[in-house]
Amino acid sequence: MRPKGHIEEFFFEEITAEETEELVHKDLAQVLLVKPSGLLDGMKYASLLLAWRLSIGMNITMIISHGICNYAKGQWVADSRRPLYSGFGCKQWLSEMWACRLTQRLDFSYEGYRWLPNNCEMPEFERSAFLRRMQDKTIAFIGDSLGRQQFQSLMCMATGGEMSPEVEDVGKEYGLVKARGAKRPDGWAFRFPNTNTTILYYWSSTLADLVPINSTDPRSNVAMHLDRPPAFMRKYLHRFDVLVLNTGHHWNRGKLTANRWVMYVNGKPNDDSKLVSMGGAKNFTAYSISKWLDSQLPYLPRLKAFFRTISPRHFRNGDWNTGGSCDNTTPLTEGREVLQDQSSDEVVEGAVKGTRIKLLDITAISDLRDEGHISHYSVRATGGINDCLHWCLPGIPDTWNELLAAQI
């Protein structure tokens, strides 16, 4: 064999059926604990890896030559081929308030970087190839406004930011229509007819099921079922091939009060003191929804489910309503490399641990990019609150989608 990387050729030593059987029940970390010393041990080591690869189906070429892949561990590098679409274009999909090229901002150096993970083969995103891979498939984003940014980013990436009149609005298929008196629908769904690829977004800022306590009263309080996924997710899960969840920034008392949310568990108002705090309620919901989703995956073998970690805020000297700002425009002032093995979002990492749900870990890599926020810039040149939560597009959420495409 002559796999990729600098590995000497050698013959493989036979291993017994008992050794192979034992190996099937080991995970990758256990296999890599074998320490080759000398030619014979080295041959046994390679034989064990080959048997493990045949049994489990992993790509040992990458493992032997590079080590274990961690997409969230690596560095930002300059790339003159960025951005992936025009910041002046993509008006068909991109909200005007997030298109920083249309604002008074003059420095766009944040657009010229890509993420290079350690020990991972991450091919360049190419829209035609991506759509071919996603032929006859549906990609669903369910989450808050940062999930909506990721959705809009992927629509721009998949179209190259060009006007695409052939793309069909199929929101009605998913009940995503604007209700009377509403500012916008609960989400959007678009289909690329050439590949029958559907990309959709559904707004669910907490991932908890929200049901009016009195459906006949428009001012009714809303039951926020912490242990139950949104009805939209339960209804349409079987139609998804890729699902990306996210939550985080709406878990605060202000949102709870403004939306008249009342926490419910087991179908009744919460009486568990551990869930009174917003942090406790958020953690409980993340774990509950992950457990429910994991229980559904055996019945949906084609579905790849991801839980995206939280997108970092970069308010300095205050918060969004107390004068906080993020005026830095120089890229990577806090460093360019992520060395940690664990996620900076311990809640989501813990919630998916031991499940079939994959972690889409973007927190630490995004934390290095404080210059990429909307900041104080706006389309109409009006003063106001700094936005150090949402990102300029094109920008950091494009990288989230590159990581998603690589892991799909």
Side-chain angles (χ1 to χ4, degrees), residues 66-263:
H66 299 297
I68 299 175
C69 169
N70 182 349
Y71 285 98
K73 189 175 179 180
Q75 61 182 314
W76 289 100
V77 295
D79 190 338
S80 60
R81 296 168 297 178
R82 303 303 163 110
L84 298 173
Y85 52 91
S86 169
F88 293 106
C90 205
K91 296 180 180 179
Q92 191 174 358
W93 320 111
L94 179 56
S95 295
E96 190 179 52
M97 61 184 175
W98 293 333
C100 288
R101 284 277 181 174
L102 304 181
T103 69
Q104 317 84 41
R105 183 164 182 159
L106 300 176
D107 186 286
F108 302 97
S109 55
Y110 64 88
E111 293 181 346
Y113 293 85
R114 66 182 173 92
W115 178 250
L116 183 64
N118 292 345
N119 306 325
C120 303
E121 295 181 14
M122 192 166 96
E124 290 288 318
F125 183 91
E126 201 285 311
R127 56 178 175 142
S128 297
F130 176 75
L131 288 173
R132 286 195 301 271
R133 287 171 59 203
M134 295 294 103
Q135 183 156 352
D136 300 322
K137 292 180 170 54
T138 296
I139 305 169
F141 296 92
I142 298 181
D144 58 22
S145 57
L146 277 304
R148 182 183 169 199
Q149 283 212 298
Q150 190 173 0
F151 159 74
Q152 291 191 5
S153 162
L154 187 59
M155 288 300 302
C156 290
M157 291 167 67
T159 59
E162 300 172 359
M163 289 297 294
S164 305
E166 76 282 1
V167 176
E168 304 169 3
D169 183 341
V170 294
K172 287 184 179 180
E173 289 186 20
Y174 297 89
L176 300 175
V177 294
K178 183 179 176 181
R180 180 177 298 178
K183 293 182 179 180
R184 61 178 71 93
D186 288 335
W188 296 266
F190 298 103
R191 182 167 297 142
F192 294 76
N194 289 340
T195 58
N196 192 35
T197 303
T198 303
I199 303 177
L200 67 84
Y201 163 78
Y202 178 76
W203 184 88
S204 178
S205 61
T206 64
L207 299 180
D209 195 24
L210 301 175
V211 182
I213 295 175
N214 182 354
S215 59
T216 63
D217 180 5
R219 298 295 299 172
S220 168
N221 286 338
V222 177
M224 181 184 185
H225 295 274
L226 304 182
D227 53 352
R228 201 165 76 191
F232 177 88
M233 184 171 162
R234 301 197 307 272
K235 182 176 182 180
Y236 294 107
L237 187 67
H238 69 283
R239 297 185 60 174
F240 304 155
D241 297 276
V242 177
L243 172 63
V244 183
L245 304 177
N246 92 281
T247 187
H249 294 293
H250 281 250
W251 290 92
N252 61 73
R253 288 291 167 189
K255 295 289 185 183
L256 193 77
T257 302
N259 291 299
R260 303 186 303 278
W261 291 337
V262 179
M263 295 183 190

Side-chain angles (χ1 to χ4, degrees), residues 348-362:
V348 172
E349 183 179 45
V352 304
K353 186 176 181 179
T355 72
R356 301 167 185 83
I357 305 168
K358 298 179 183 294
L359 186 71
L360 184 56
D361 191 2
I362 59 87

Side-chain angles (χ1 to χ4, degrees), residues 259-276:
N259 291 299
R260 303 186 303 278
W261 291 337
V262 179
M263 295 183 190
Y264 270 56
V265 178
N266 294 323
K268 58 184 181 181
N270 171 54
D271 57 5
D272 187 342
S273 60
K274 295 179 181 179
L275 303 183
V276 171

